[in-house]
Amino acid sequence: MAKKVQEINAGSMADIAFLLLIFYLVSTTMNVDSGLQRMLPPYVDPSDQQTSKVNKRNTLLVFVDAHDRLMVQSKMVQVGELKDIVKEFISNPQNREDMPEKEIEKIDLLGEYPVSKGIVSLQNDRATSYDMYMRVQNELVRAFNELREELAMLPAPDGFGKKFDDLSEDEKKAIQKAIPQRISEAEPRDMTSGGKK
C-alpha cells in the first residue's frame, strides 16, 4: 500500500500574493507627467478699444527660426550664451534703463526685495526641431534656477545661506516669489510658407 502524501494547504497563497501586490503598490513611486510651467498672455477683450502699453524694456524676445538659429532681441546668439543673457536681463545688476524695471515687494522671510518685472518671450518657427526647442527651454529654466540658487545661498538677511534644495517649503516659496519664472510662449510662426502666424 502506497504511503499517502500530505497535501500542502495553498489557501493562504492568494493572501500572500495579495499582500505582496499591496506592498508593491504602496512602496513604488509612479512617474508623474510634468509639463512646462509657462505664463499665458493676458486675455484682451476684442471690444475693448484701449490698447494696453507694454513696457518694451521688460520683455526679452527669444526666437528660434526654422533652421534652428537662435536670436535674442534680433541678434544671433549660441544656445550656450542664452542662460547668461537671461540671468543678466532678469537681475539687471546695474539698473540699466534698457533692462527690466524692479518693483519693491514685501516677501515673507526676506523682507523688502526688488522683484524684476522682466519676462522672457519665447517664439519659434513651426519647423524648429524638437531638440533645439528643448535645448532653449532648458537654458531658460536653468537661468531662473541659477538665480534662485544664488539668492538662496546669500547669507541672512538677504538669503538663507543654504542650497535651494535644502530650504524649507516656506523658504522656497519666498525665493520663488522674489525671482518668479516668467517665460511666455507665443504661438509658433510659419515662416516656411512665407506667412506670419
Side-chain angles (χ1 to χ4, degrees):
M1 186 166 175
K3 197 173 187 183
K4 192 173 181 182
V5 178
Q6 192 169 3
E7 291 182 10
I8 299 172
N9 184 3
S12 63
M13 293 298 281
D15 294 337
I16 292 170
F18 182 72
L19 288 173
L20 286 172
L21 179 63
I22 295 294
F23 174 77
Y24 173 76
L25 290 173
V26 170
S27 63
T28 303
T29 58
M30 301 291 179
N31 286 338
V32 179
D33 290 339
S34 57
L36 297 169
Q37 199 176 45
R38 296 292 175 261
M39 270 181 15
L40 294 175
Y43 173 75
V44 177
D45 190 349
S47 63
D48 187 9
Q49 297 298 320
Q50 291 181 333
T51 56
S52 59
K53 289 185 178 180
V54 177
N55 197 337
K56 290 186 179 181
R57 74 181 271 192
N58 293 335
T59 305
L60 182 70
L61 300 173
V62 177
F63 178 68
V64 186
D65 72 7
H67 303 288
D68 289 349
R69 291 179 298 213
L70 176 63
M71 287 176 272
V72 177
Q73 304 290 59
S74 301
K75 293 179 186 171
M76 202 79 75
V77 298
Q78 298 297 315
V79 178
E81 301 173 273
L82 183 60
K83 178 197 61 151
D84 292 330
I85 292 170
V86 172
K87 281 178 69 176
E88 184 180 4
F89 176 80
I90 295 298
S91 62
N92 189 6
Q94 284 89 33
N95 290 320
R96 289 172 38 186
E97 293 291 321
D98 60 336
M99 289 191 164
E101 303 167 281
K102 295 178 185 176
E103 186 174 16
I104 302 295
E105 289 187 25
K106 180 91 169 112
I107 299 174
D108 291 341
L109 305 176
L110 288 176
E112 292 188 348
Y113 187 83
V115 178
S116 174
K117 290 185 177 182
I119 297 173
V120 178
S121 177
L122 174 62
Q123 190 170 28
N124 62 286
D125 191 277
R126 291 187 192 280
T128 302
S129 72
Y130 183 74
D131 178 59
M132 182 61 171
Y133 175 79
M134 289 309 299
R135 286 172 62 198
V136 169
Q137 288 280 1
N138 288 340
E139 290 300 304
L140 295 178
V141 172
R142 199 163 72 138
F144 284 96
N145 287 345
E146 284 191 12
L147 286 170
R148 289 175 176 175
E149 187 73 34
E150 289 166 9
L151 178 57
M153 291 295 290
L154 288 176
D158 299 321
F160 300 109
K162 49 188 173 181
K163 291 185 177 182
F164 184 81
D165 289 338
D166 297 334
L167 300 177
S168 68
E169 285 305 311
D170 289 337
E171 290 170 337
K172 284 181 181 178
K173 285 178 185 174
I175 296 290
Q176 289 166 344
K177 194 170 180 184
I179 303 175
Q181 183 176 299
R182 293 184 177 137
I183 302 172
S184 174
E185 287 194 57
E187 185 179 345
R189 294 183 194 175
D190 189 1
M191 300 299 283
T192 53
S193 62
K196 285 187 180 181
K197 177 109 187 189

